[in-house]
Amino acid sequence: MGLQAVLNTQTDFTGEFPAEYAKDGLWRFNENAPDADTMLADSSGKGRKMFVSGWSGTSAGFRGGQKGRHFRMNITNPTSEKTYLKVTNDGSVFQSLGERIIVGGWMNPTTYSIGNTYCPIFNTRQGPGQPIFYLSLIRGKPRIMLYNSAGSLILDESVTPPFSFVNNGWYFIACVIEPGNKKAWYVIGDRESGAVWVSAALPFTGELNRSCTADLIMGMHAGSYWFAGGFDDWFLDCDSQLTAEDLADYFRATAFANGGDIAGPVDALAEPGCVTLRKGSNGAYPESGVLYTRAVEYGISGAGKVSVSSECIPGVTDIPLVETSTSNDLISWSDWAAVGADGKMPSPARTYIRFRVTLTTNDTARTPKLTDIQIYDIPKSPYEKIGYARPVVLDSNGAWEAVLENAYGIIVTGEVNGEDTLSFSIPFADAKRKYIDNEKKIQIVDDVYIIRTVTDSKDASGSAVTEVYAEAEFYNLAYSVRKEEKAFDAETADAAMAYALSGTEWNVGTVTVTTKRTWTSTEKNALSILRAVADLHGGDLVFDCPNRLVHLLTLNGKDSGALFMYGKNMKDIERTVDTTGLVTRLYAVGADGMTFASINGGKPYVEDFTYSKEIRVSSLDCSAFTNPYQMLEFTRMRLADYCKPTVSYVLNAMDLSVLTGYEHEAWELGDYVRVEDKDLGLSVTTRIVRREYNLQEPWNTVLELSTVLKNLGSSTSKWDNAADSLEGVSVVSSEDIAELVPFNLLRNSRADDGLAYWVSSGFEADGENGASGTASFKAEGVAGMTKSLSQTVYPANRDSYTISAQIASENLKKLSGNSQVGIEIVLEYEDGSTESRFIDLY
């Protein structure tokens, strides 16, 4: 997915003339007043300030307008006020004319300016030296006069637009001059009607004055002729790439942008680069406002997606509606269409796009803040089916760069709630090897992967090959901005998912899981939070990379109707029934040692003996839970999986859907399929939970059905490391159900056989009261006496060990400062040295 355009500048939201197209002067008139030297700012970066002659004691001043403030002058009596603007030319203004000069801006004439025979607008006739051009009105019509170095006219033409200037109307007026081509054009736009007109080319003879050192004068000529009205957003560029048609398109693309409208409800000027509601004179914000952006080039090759970044306070401020409209000519526009939660572009793909954004607040002391709008292109893959597809390398903009036709060993591996990776090889001498590099993107049909590992190798025969390993785009969520601890109070999964994805380019998609959880997230990144959400609420996490959406579905998949049968599309099959991780009694401990015993008949555990009558105990770390009812629901949900054997089928199968006439045999990860084999007595409908799809050889695809088996390459451990999800994971072990029953080095740890294997000093076995069973060890404290229970174990070398115990006490008191209750561990190392550690329990 390639980023096509970003709207995040003041000009994107206000429609003001961009500074990059006004390198020799840009006067926005957005000040409240001139500076101490009675000068107005130049936004071009050249520092060419405008001096206000006739500022004090006149009607000159700044007024609100559509593109911020504008400068008005000579409103009361031009002949007595005589206000004008002047830019002193230090000799550099027209030093390098280049191919094209553009000059213009917005004007707001009064009847005085339109009705007089001569009305100066932009003037270089005041000297010093000879002029170069003079823009004016003659009897209300635009006039252009060009001069040579001797001061002689080489062009004097007036033009007649299809609309007339009226009192207090706003007009865009610009002139394009091509010195080498010896032609000029006028571009006139009427804000009221939205019409823009480009004159015919106005040819001239002779050479334009390339050595002009005259000052720039606005609104006056010869101390006798004056302009009355307003100026806004005037620009000058003496080496421009813009043509007259480009300027006409600028007008069409920006005439409706309202972020700078001082009288409007939205404000793109108070904080440059973002949009807020406009604060009123009483300090309050309006309850709502609608922003219209300028139009930008759209030009996508596939499907489009919109991503809006904002700063909002949940339940208080919001940007509830983003709409789009598209056009091929900036004149005829499609109807406004709302962008949905998935971000998909609702408007037809055309050359240009504009946005209408609604901002709201429930507290007039606060405002939402729109910071940017991003437009992505989701390129359509040259392949429609995964079978026989080839990797497509994308460039930095998301466009196709190269199709790797000679790639081989192309395997896409995916798991439900697990990995999504791509691996392939390509000859090192392949001409398209140069396009392969780390962190570049690879597209397979609609999915996009990021290259993580590139390995070049050469064998004994001299054959050189490049091996590539890539991960799905969503893996980058493991590197999101650091997430702080956050509590959720009886909230559905979408709330936590939205928090996880805030500050990323991803959004919450469809959530069909309806469970509510009260818990505290301590995860550090977006991906680990999403995994925790799926673990706590249940369901399948689905990452829609092309659309940057994360779904949480009760079940991702369908009954595909596909049938796998030996001799048809199945070459071999293996069925495994595994009770290694079978649990029939499951304890859970929540935050601060909380249990659900008080709401579960006094039992801090749940049981299910449907498959086995044997008591097989394990526990869940539910420290994120603060609500015992939800913890009980969660524990029952987990035991429903753990109380029965895991049954898994691994088969080597062919994807028949790639063949003509077998399209109905299509299946996807998560789908239910039928497996038939008479010799094994198999006739079962089960789910595809993992696949290793061979794109080059679809008949060599490996499927795992029902449950992913550890010895078949489950990526859970690697996944957890990538997502930091080992921190706070809700199951005691981070790997498999098999590890829910940890290997216990202690013998007779539950006192089932009395004191066998233990060295006791003051302890006894209680056969009537137990926690994980019917028995336990018990001791009664005596002042001045130590009672202990110990056992020596000889473990193999491991990186870490876990000590756990369940302890109950009654009327426990310390009788002295030296009293201790706890567990002491004495470690003896291979060199004979020892180390003691004491875990204080009171």
Side-chain angles (χ1 to χ4, degrees), residues 340-572:
D342 58 4
K344 287 184 178 179
M345 188 68 68
S347 299
R350 294 175 180 170
T351 308
Y352 302 97
I353 185 170
R354 60 181 179 175
F355 292 86
R356 185 166 70 180
V357 183
T358 301
L359 294 81
T360 63
T361 182
N362 295 329
D363 180 355
T364 57
R366 302 175 182 274
T367 177
K369 183 184 294 184
L370 171 70
T371 54
D372 68 44
I373 302 172
Q374 299 182 7
I375 307 168
Y376 293 91
D377 183 18
I378 307 172
K380 184 174 176 58
S381 172
Y383 304 99
E384 295 183 357
K385 294 182 178 180
I386 190 171
Y388 303 116
R390 291 294 181 270
V392 181
V393 183
L394 305 180
D395 65 16
S396 59
N397 294 317
W400 304 339
E401 193 169 58
V403 179
L404 305 181
E405 299 95 342
N406 297 323
Y408 61 93
I410 311 166
I411 305 294
V412 171
T413 301
E415 293 178 358
V416 173
N417 285 331
E419 70 175 317
D420 187 355
T421 62
L422 164 71
S423 61
F424 63 89
S425 300
I426 190 171
F428 183 79
D430 192 283
K432 294 183 179 178
R433 165 62 180 84
K434 63 183 180 182
Y435 295 107
I436 297 174
D437 202 0
N438 291 74
E439 298 305 302
K440 292 195 75 171
K441 295 183 178 181
I442 300 283
Q443 185 174 358
I444 298 289
V445 189
D446 290 327
D447 292 321
V448 178
Y449 298 82
I450 301 175
I451 297 175
R452 300 301 194 197
T453 304
V454 179
T455 305
D456 297 317
S457 60
K458 188 175 181 179
D459 61 22
S461 66
S463 176
V465 66
T466 296
E467 298 175 351
V468 177
Y469 165 78
E471 297 173 335
E473 275 190 303
F474 72 82
Y475 276 56
N476 275 356
L477 290 171
Y479 312 114
S480 70
V481 294
R482 181 180 175 86
K483 298 293 181 178
E484 302 301 326
E485 183 175 300
K486 185 173 177 62
F488 298 94
D489 185 11
E491 295 187 67
T492 52
D494 56 330
M497 293 172 67
Y499 170 69
L501 297 174
S502 62
T504 73
E505 296 178 353
W506 293 71
N507 292 292
V508 179
T510 302
V511 177
T512 59
V513 175
T514 59
T515 54
K516 292 184 177 181
R517 296 284 182 259
T518 296
W519 64 292
T520 299
S521 170
T522 58
E523 307 299 337
K524 305 299 188 298
N525 62 66
L527 189 55
S528 59
I529 294 175
L530 292 170
R531 282 181 46 78
V533 169
D535 183 49
L536 292 171
H537 289 266
D540 295 339
L541 273 178
V542 179
F543 295 89
D544 182 355
C545 290
N547 296 306
R548 289 288 200 279
L549 294 174
V550 182
H551 310 287
L552 183 63
L553 307 178
T554 305
L555 181 71
N556 178 43
K558 60 185 182 302
D559 187 351
S560 68
L563 171 67
F564 291 99
M565 181 178 293
Y566 191 78
K568 172 195 174 189
N569 55 354
M570 183 173 68
K571 293 192 292 185
D572 56 65

Side-chain angles (χ1 to χ4, degrees), residues 94-269:
F94 300 105
Q95 193 172 38
S96 177
L97 295 188
E99 180 182 354
R100 190 177 295 112
I101 304 169
I102 61 170
V103 57
W106 292 86
M107 71 173 186
N108 175 227
T110 63
T111 301
Y112 177 91
S113 297
I114 299 167
N116 279 355
T117 301
Y118 306 110
C119 177
I121 300 176
F122 205 110
N123 180 8
T124 59
R125 293 176 65 183
Q126 298 301 116
Q130 302 302 335
I132 181 171
F133 58 71
Y134 178 29
L135 275 62
S136 64
L137 297 179
I138 180 169
R139 290 180 290 274
K141 295 181 180 180
R143 182 184 186 185
I144 175 67
M145 302 166 74
L146 301 181
Y147 300 84
N148 62 19
S149 58
S152 299
L153 275 170
I154 57 176
L155 176 66
D156 183 359
E157 290 282 353
S158 62
V159 297
T160 305
F163 45 83
S164 298
F165 295 156
V166 299
N167 176 54
N168 206 36
W170 273 103
Y171 304 96
F172 177 72
I173 179 169
C175 192
V176 178
I177 307 165
E178 295 185 354
N181 199 26
K182 297 185 178 181
K183 292 181 181 179
W185 293 262
Y186 251 123
V187 181
I188 312 293
D190 177 10
R191 179 181 290 168
E192 180 67 25
S193 66
V196 64
W197 172 80
V198 178
S199 73
L202 307 174
F204 59 89
T205 57
E207 291 295 325
L208 196 66
N209 182 13
R210 295 176 178 270
S211 57
C212 177
T213 59
D215 296 335
L216 309 179
I217 307 295
M218 291 192 71
M220 183 273 288
H221 172 54
S224 302
Y225 303 96
W226 310 95
F227 175 86
F231 288 127
D232 197 5
D233 232 34
W234 273 76
F235 57 87
L236 173 66
D237 189 359
C238 293
D239 187 14
S240 178
Q241 301 301 309
L242 299 184
T243 65
E245 284 298 334
D246 292 333
L247 289 174
D249 282 346
Y250 157 75
F251 174 86
R252 297 186 186 103
T254 61
F256 40 74
N258 70 335
D261 187 353
I262 299 298
V266 294
D267 188 353
L269 297 173

Side-chain angles (χ1 to χ4, degrees), residues 287-320:
E287 293 183 353
S288 66
V290 177
L291 167 76
Y292 290 82
T293 72
R294 74 179 181 98
V296 296
E297 289 191 12
Y298 186 23
I300 61 171
S301 60
K305 181 180 182 294
V306 176
S307 175
V308 176
S309 299
S310 63
E311 297 177 16
C312 295
I313 303 171
V316 180
T317 61
D318 195 13
I319 298 181

